[in-house]
């Protein structure tokens, strides 16, 4: 049973560019959440998608947007990249009874 | 706003020792609590999930307890091994809008010395 898969694993972008990260949830999970983890910090909640709608959002600017598709997969888009957006981006899928399952993450470097 | 604190930030122990990692949170109205392991540069691996109605969960050499009233959880690792070296993250599940989100601590970096 495949867990949460994320692509790409690593990415280098230039300041001001736009980036799209992708996530496929664990089989049977219908809720997808995105987290940003800066070096040496715990993950910070960006937003959560359920039934193709953004259900909750953390304290992140509108430059961060997302989408969930009918097959429950999801994308995270970041516009006008800043150096401070460099981080590990984690996708997680969840079911209430069994908790969160995280992917291996996408390491984004903005230069 | 929920805040999660993990103490200590780093811990180094000799192989074979039993150890305890601590997690505290400010808002006791939690949905659940989940402990994760993170190896350098990698994603998170779930270790234990404790629902708000439970007091503890066990998996192999790991035991996690939850005391909602005091806002505390502990992760007990028995007979530590070098392969246990990693960062351990505590995450509190907070309810909202029909589901819940996780608030993380900064983690405890564990080094087990052979």
């Amino acid at each position: 049973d495949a867990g949460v898969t994320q692509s790409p694993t690593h990415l280098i972008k230039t300041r001001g560019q736009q980036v799209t990260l992708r996530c496929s949830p664990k089989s049977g999970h219908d809720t997808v959440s995105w987290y940003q983890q800066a070096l040496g910090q715990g993950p910070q909640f960006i937003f959560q998608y359920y039934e193709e709608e953004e259900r909750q959002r953390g304290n992140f600017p509108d430059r961060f947007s997302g989408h969930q598709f009918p097959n429950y997969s999801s994308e995270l888009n970041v516009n006008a990249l800043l150096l401070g957006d460099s981080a590990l981006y984690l996708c997680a899928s969840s079911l209430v009874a069994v908790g969160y399952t995280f992917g291996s993450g996408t390491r984004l470097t903005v230069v | 706003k929920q805040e999660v604190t993990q103490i200590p930030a780093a811990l180094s122990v000799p192989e074979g020792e039993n150890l305890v990692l601590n997690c505290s949170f400010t808002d006791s109205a939690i949905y659940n609590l989940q402990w994760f392991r993170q190896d350098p540069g990698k994603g998170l691996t779930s270790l234990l999930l404790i629902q708000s109605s439970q007091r503890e969960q066990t998996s192999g050499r790991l035991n996690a307890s939850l005391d909602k009233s005091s806002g505390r959880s502990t992760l007990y690792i028995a007979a530590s091994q070098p392969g246990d070296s990693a960062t351990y993250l505590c995450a509190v599940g907070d309810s909202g809008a029909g589901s819940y989100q996780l608030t993380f601590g900064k983690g405890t970096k564990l080094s087990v010395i052979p």
Side-chain angles (χ1 to χ4, degrees):
Chain A
D1 178 26
V4 177
T5 58
Q6 293 187 243
S7 64
T9 55
H10 296 84
L11 205 50
I12 300 175
K13 288 287 189 178
T14 302
R15 188 173 50 185
Q17 284 188 317
Q18 178 264 346
V19 68
T20 298
L21 310 182
R22 295 177 174 82
C23 171
S24 293
K26 184 174 181 178
S27 177
H29 288 193
D30 56 7
T31 301
V32 174
S33 303
W34 287 90
Y35 288 78
Q36 180 196 66
Q37 186 177 26
L39 204 60
Q41 302 295 314
Q44 298 290 316
F45 175 69
I46 303 175
F47 43 54
Q48 183 181 88
Y49 277 84
Y50 173 72
E51 292 188 343
E52 303 178 51
E53 296 285 335
E54 183 182 290
R55 182 155 63 178
Q56 293 187 68
R57 189 178 183 91
N59 188 26
F60 278 79
D62 291 345
R63 297 187 298 108
F64 290 77
S65 64
H67 189 79
Q68 185 180 35
F69 299 94
N71 65 354
Y72 306 125
S73 66
S74 177
E75 289 181 350
L76 164 65
N77 301 292
V78 187
N79 294 322
L81 284 167
L82 303 174
L83 297 180
D85 294 332
S86 295
L88 181 67
Y89 288 84
L90 295 162
C91 174
S93 65
S94 58
L95 279 177
V96 166
V98 299
Y100 277 64
T101 300
F102 280 81
S104 298
T106 294
R107 171 68 63 185
L108 172 65
T109 302
V110 183
V111 298
Chain B
K1 176 188 172 187
Q2 181 74 264
E3 293 183 4
V4 180
T5 303
Q6 291 189 246
I7 294 174
L11 181 64
S12 183
V13 300
E15 181 178 1
E17 273 206 3
N18 303 324
L19 58 101
V20 174
L21 308 181
N22 296 291
C23 171
S24 62
F25 45 94
T26 54
D27 186 346
S28 62
I30 68 171
Y31 194 82
N32 57 26
L33 186 144
Q34 198 165 355
W35 282 92
F36 294 89
R37 167 187 172 137
Q38 186 173 33
D39 293 293
K42 304 296 185 182
L44 308 183
T45 300
S46 179
L47 298 174
L48 290 165
L49 169 69
I50 311 177
Q51 302 292 354
S52 62
S53 59
Q54 298 174 322
R55 297 282 293 185
E56 66 177 345
Q57 283 288 341
T58 298
S59 176
R61 295 183 293 110
L62 305 179
N63 175 275
S65 68
L66 173 63
D67 184 343
K68 276 182 28 177
S69 61
S70 66
R72 295 179 187 274
S73 176
T74 62
L75 178 66
Y76 175 83
I77 302 177
S80 59
Q81 302 170 359
D84 294 331
S85 297
T87 295
Y88 290 81
L89 292 159
C90 169
V92 171
D94 295 309
S95 296
S99 181
Y100 73 99
Q101 66 185 66
L102 297 179
T103 301
F104 284 85
K106 292 184 178 181
T108 294
K109 185 174 182 179
L110 173 65
S111 298
V112 181
I113 311 302

